[in-house]
Structures are given as C-alpha cells and as structure tokens.
Amino acid sequence: MGKGNGAGNHAGHMDAIYRTQRHFYDVTRKYYLLGRDRLIRELAPPRGGTVLEIGCGTGRNLIAAARAWPEARYFGIDISEAMLETARAKVQAAGLAGRITLAQGDATAFDAEALFGVSRFDRIFQSYTLSMIPDWQGALREGAGKLAPGGRLDVVDFGQQEALPGAFKRLLFAWLARFDVEPRQALPVVLQQIGGAQGLVDQFTPLYRGYAWAGQLSTPISTAISTSAA
C-alpha cells in the first residue's frame, strides 16, 4: 500500500527508533505499559469474530489475545517494517501463523479489505500507540470507522498521572519525550467527539491513579440488533 510523504517519513522514523529496540522491547515494556493485559482479558470477541490491532508492534498483544480467545481470527498492522519483521518471527514461533495475519499499514489511513480481505472488525484495539502517532485523532477515527455492527474499539495509553505526585509526572513525561511519546491529554474529549460523529457510545476510564487511560467506542446495542435482524 502506498504512503504519502508524511506517512513515509513517520514509517522511517519508527524504523529508526525500533531497529534495535525491537529485540528487547517486550522485556522492558512489560514494567510500564500498564493496562494492556486488562484490555486483552476484557476483549471477549464473538465466536469466529475478527480482531484487529492497530500498531501491533512486536505482536506481543496479538499473541496473548489469540491464546486467551482462541475462537477468533486476528489481524495486525504497523507502520514499521522493522517491528513487523520481529512480529512475524514471534507469531511463527508461537505456532499462530494460521490465526494471526500481519501487514504494513498507516494507522490513519489503511485499506483493510486490500490488506486482509476483511473490511470490518468485531474488536479493534490500540495499545500505547496513540501517544506515538502524530495524527492520533485521525488514527482513532480510522479505527472507529472500521467497526462491524456490535463492534468495539478499545484504547489504552499513558494518562496524565493526575492522582500521582507531580514530580513523578514531570520525570515520566520528560523521559517519554526522549522517545517522541506524548500522552494525549485530550483523549476523553476526542473519544466523545468521534463517538458523537459516528454514532458510537464512548467510555473513558482512568487506571492506576491516572498512570494509564482506557477508552472505548462501541456500536449501540440497538443498532447492532437492528442490523443483524435485517
């Protein structure tokens, strides 16, 4: 899939960051990317359903989800080919190549039908990706627009540390900035705006005293029922 200059520049930037980090990414991130396993535990895709991770990185989350919910099909995109190289190897080693399909794609604009032969998904999730995507609002809109009837988009990312000491927040944000990571203060408002524009129900939950924020956009139950009945 072709990429414009902006997406191409971002892809190159991500490859530069993760060309080395990808080899020890999962070992280090498990200590501070909190809320990922909570998201996977609550994923609950329907039997035979489709699950897409936008910004799948090393494939860690998709592998965990595929093991937790074995009756669904899994798909992942990432803009970094370096990360995808690692993800493909991990998926193969886990024996899940038949259930997890990976492709390179820009979170803000991708053709799921062309990449996977699937245009809509029962579950979509974005784990600690919005804080690294320049057009993070576009990435949220893109994901929300690819939900199947009855579908749900789940997000977890860094919060604003609102119930933690100010010194901790300053140190954390300064450290994150070194890796071009910017926690999105406007996330609750943007979830509400996108939900209103696309007819979705929004939900927002601070986790761990605001260390992490979780959000959801879901198809209203009445809409899902009427669509399936038709």
Side-chain angles (χ1 to χ4, degrees):
M1 182 176 71
K3 298 184 287 291
N5 289 337
N9 291 340
H10 185 54
H13 184 54
M14 290 297 99
D15 278 340
I17 289 176
Y18 290 121
R19 188 165 288 114
T20 300
Q21 286 192 40
R22 64 194 171 103
H23 298 296
F24 51 86
Y25 183 93
D26 290 336
V27 174
T28 58
R29 267 56 174 186
K30 69 180 181 179
Y31 296 109
Y32 63 88
L33 298 188
L34 307 181
R36 297 183 299 172
D37 292 334
R38 172 186 180 273
L39 184 157
I40 292 168
R41 284 196 304 270
E42 297 179 358
L43 202 59
R47 183 186 297 268
T50 52
V51 179
L52 170 67
E53 181 176 16
I54 298 175
C56 62
T58 64
R60 180 264 187 196
N61 295 330
L62 283 172
I63 291 170
R67 287 171 171 166
W69 305 99
E71 295 181 338
R73 294 180 293 150
Y74 294 85
F75 305 87
I77 67 165
D78 202 283
I79 201 168
S80 169
E81 185 55 44
M83 278 298 220
L84 286 170
E85 181 181 335
T86 295
R88 292 186 187 105
K90 286 182 175 291
V91 167
Q92 185 69 38
L96 292 168
R99 292 180 49 218
I100 299 176
T101 305
L102 305 172
Q104 187 176 29
D106 177 2
T108 66
F110 61 96
D111 186 340
E113 182 68 39
L115 292 174
F116 304 121
V118 178
S119 58
R120 302 283 174 174
F121 301 86
D122 299 295
R123 297 290 184 270
I124 298 175
F125 65 96
Q126 295 171 280
S127 170
Y128 286 91
T129 58
L130 297 180
S131 53
M132 296 197 70
I133 298 173
D135 182 14
W136 64 276
Q137 297 185 31
L140 268 178
R141 283 191 294 271
E142 184 77 358
K146 287 179 168 54
L147 288 174
R152 191 182 76 228
L153 168 65
D154 288 284
V155 173
V156 66
D157 215 308
F158 291 107
Q160 291 296 303
Q161 323 301 307
E162 56 269 24
L164 292 166
F168 177 85
K169 175 178 179 175
R170 289 191 294 273
L171 287 171
L172 177 64
F173 278 28
W175 182 73
L176 292 175
R178 296 176 57 190
F179 301 96
D180 294 332
V181 176
E182 181 182 352
R184 305 305 185 182
Q185 186 175 9
L187 178 61
V189 174
V190 173
L191 284 169
Q192 193 173 54
Q193 291 173 342
I194 294 174
Q198 299 195 25
L200 303 172
V201 177
D202 66 279
Q203 182 176 322
F204 170 74
T205 307
L207 304 174
Y208 316 113
R209 300 176 66 190
Y211 177 88
W213 281 358
Q216 289 183 356
L217 290 169
S218 56
T219 305
I221 294 175
S222 59
T223 302
I225 293 175
S226 62
T227 302
S228 60

